[in-house]
Amino acid sequence: MKNLIEKIKKLKEEKNAVILAHSYQNIEIDEVADFVGDSLYLSQMAKTTNADIIVFAGVYFMAQTAKIISPEKKVLLPNANAGCLMSDMINHEQMINFKKNHPNVPVVCYINSTAEVKAECDICCTSSNALKIVKSLNNSKVLFLPDANLGKWVESKLDKVEVITYDGNCPVHNNIEIKDIELARKNYPDAKILIHPECKPEVSRLGDYVGSTSGIMEYVRKSKDKQFVIVTEKGVADRLERDYPDKKFILIKSNMLCESMKLTTLEEILYSLEHEVNEITLDESVRKRSAGCIERMLKASK
Ligand code: 13P
Ligand code: SF4
């Protein structure tokens, strides 16, 4: 593995490349990553980097987002099969029908969506800024897609804003039930329960903290508590265990695994960098329209 890591680092330098890694990736990928974090942080890094090549250790919509906002850079997705189940729940046609059923209502799209879908939306959001973005529209009604759970969570935090949601979700997070949180409270009464807002809103409501993957990690960093129940994908718990050996982390369920996120390996990162394969390409008119949607988010979340 050491050899592999050295080779990747050397190639990165030679080719002026950066590696962006989502915090659900296999933990060894951090050894070669320049930036590790949540989807908002990674899209900000994709925009500001001076690199010629971005290798995105994440899933397809994330690499596509990097290409949308940095079209002059070559963006590579090391494993071409790394998709997102939630993003796959809405295509362009479904998006158009959703809008048709609710005319003249501003549309917020979660970053977990394709460029074709983003191109039809007013503004993008991530799990860390969804509330801020919906608020920024200053409208009594908002369409939100594809994540119904995040949309309804945002609605529960606002006064007099109706958030009309598309019927999509993340099967990994949607799998958590109220009884799972109640059991964790009973078994670990001293632990803080940290929840990703892709969980059902009735589940999120029971958390001590609700936030993005980076938000959860930041909460632990600032906390004096010693025990935490992690209600998101296993990669977050793995990194917390590595970074805080004196604290205890309990993953809410052992099957909190995003299979797509785990597809990418160090071997594939090396191969994609060496041969520059699996490059993200986009139709320019779709790119431009989806860029508007993401740029508006980046501006509003500054
Ligand atoms: P973050 O915005 O927290 O990175 O979440 C992205 C994601 O896909 C969670 O399932
Ligand atoms: Fe998509 Fe869910 Fe995986 Fe996140 S955890 S990338 S929403 S399938």
Side-chain angles (χ1 to χ4, degrees):
M1 189 162 98
K2 212 169 150 210
N3 198 13
L4 201 55
I5 291 169
E6 288 318 311
K7 274 189 186 165
I8 295 172
K9 285 186 175 168
K10 193 162 167 269
L11 257 185
K12 269 201 309 182
E13 232 177 275
E14 279 168 24
K15 296 198 172 198
N16 188 28
V18 283
I19 299 180
L20 308 187
H22 190 267
S23 24
Y24 291 168
Q25 289 285 291
N26 294 307
I27 199 160
E28 63 272 17
I29 287 174
D30 290 11
E31 300 291 326
V32 295
D34 298 275
F35 304 101
V36 182
D38 68 3
S39 45
L40 178 64
Y41 174 69
L42 296 177
S43 57
Q44 286 163 336
M45 293 306 108
K47 183 151 176 67
T48 51
T49 176
N50 290 324
D52 297 314
I53 298 180
I54 295 175
V55 178
F56 214 118
V59 290
Y60 182 74
F61 78 82
M62 295 180 174
Q64 198 184 44
T65 300
K67 183 67 185 176
I68 294 170
I69 51 182
S70 294
E72 69 293 349
K73 290 164 198 154
K74 187 175 259 191
V75 180
L76 309 172
L77 182 68
N79 186 308
N81 294 320
C84 163
L85 296 169
M86 183 197 295
S87 156
D88 290 346
M89 287 182 190
I90 185 163
N91 61 26
H92 184 258
E93 196 190 336
Q94 288 163 319
M95 159 78 212
I96 297 296
N97 286 335
F98 182 54
K99 276 213 313 191
K100 246 192 217 152
N101 293 337
H102 308 279
N104 304 320
V105 184
V107 191
V108 179
C109 89
Y110 190 32
I111 198 163
N112 298 37
S113 54
T114 61
E116 289 73 19
V117 168
K118 287 186 178 88
E120 304 298 335
C121 296
D122 296 297
I123 192 162
C124 192
C125 78
T126 72
S127 56
S128 63
N129 62 19
L131 184 59
K132 195 171 181 178
I133 297 295
V134 171
K135 264 189 194 165
S136 76
L137 293 171
N138 219 358
N139 215 61
S140 60
K141 262 190 195 176
V142 167
L143 294 187
F144 194 99
L145 62 99
D147 191 2
N149 289 339
L150 179 60
K152 286 297 168 191
W153 169 248
V154 168
E155 184 183 65
S156 75
K157 294 277 145 197
L158 293 170
D159 250 5
K160 296 185 196 132
V161 179
E162 185 187 358
V163 180
I164 303 165
T165 52
Y166 181 81
D167 188 19
N169 62 61
C170 164
V172 179
H173 291 85
N174 200 49
N175 178 33
I176 301 300
E177 304 294 344
I178 290 177
K179 64 175 170 31
D180 298 317
I181 308 295
E182 286 173 347
L183 188 65
R185 279 261 182 246
K186 194 167 153 244
N187 290 343
Y188 307 100
D190 297 330
K192 287 283 186 283
I193 300 189
L194 316 181
I195 303 184
H196 195 282
E198 284 176 14
C199 292
K200 293 169 182 148
E202 61 271 27
V203 168
S204 293
R205 206 176 308 127
L206 303 177
D208 295 298
Y209 172 78
V210 179
S212 74
T213 52
S214 292
I216 288 174
M217 292 169 104
E218 190 55 14
Y219 181 96
V220 172
R221 190 181 70 77
K222 288 184 182 156
S223 172
K224 289 198 167 53
D225 289 287
K226 291 283 180 201
Q227 272 189 32
F228 304 87
V229 174
I230 304 302
V231 191
T232 189
E233 210 269 353
K234 186 173 178 294
V236 170
D238 290 345
R239 284 170 175 78
L240 288 169
E241 268 167 15
R242 176 197 63 194
D243 296 344
Y244 304 94
D246 58 324
K247 298 188 187 223
K248 183 176 161 83
F249 300 96
I250 303 108
L251 186 65
I252 186 78
K253 271 186 179 175
S254 57
N255 64 354
M256 290 297 279
L257 275 175
C258 174
E259 286 177 17
S260 290
M261 281 283 185
K262 302 304 193 215
L263 287 176
T264 309
T265 61
L266 284 171
E267 283 83 359
E268 285 166 341
I269 291 180
L270 177 62
Y271 188 85
S272 74
L273 198 48
E274 246 172 358
H275 303 282
E276 300 185 18
V277 289
N278 300 339
E279 183 180 354
I280 305 287
T281 55
L282 276 162
D283 172 86
E284 185 54 14
S285 94
V286 172
R287 191 204 64 77
K288 273 196 183 140
R289 283 181 294 132
S290 53
C293 173
I294 298 168
E295 297 290 354
R296 285 189 281 279
M297 167 187 82
L298 293 174
K299 217 167 155 192
S301 55
K302 261 184 192 161

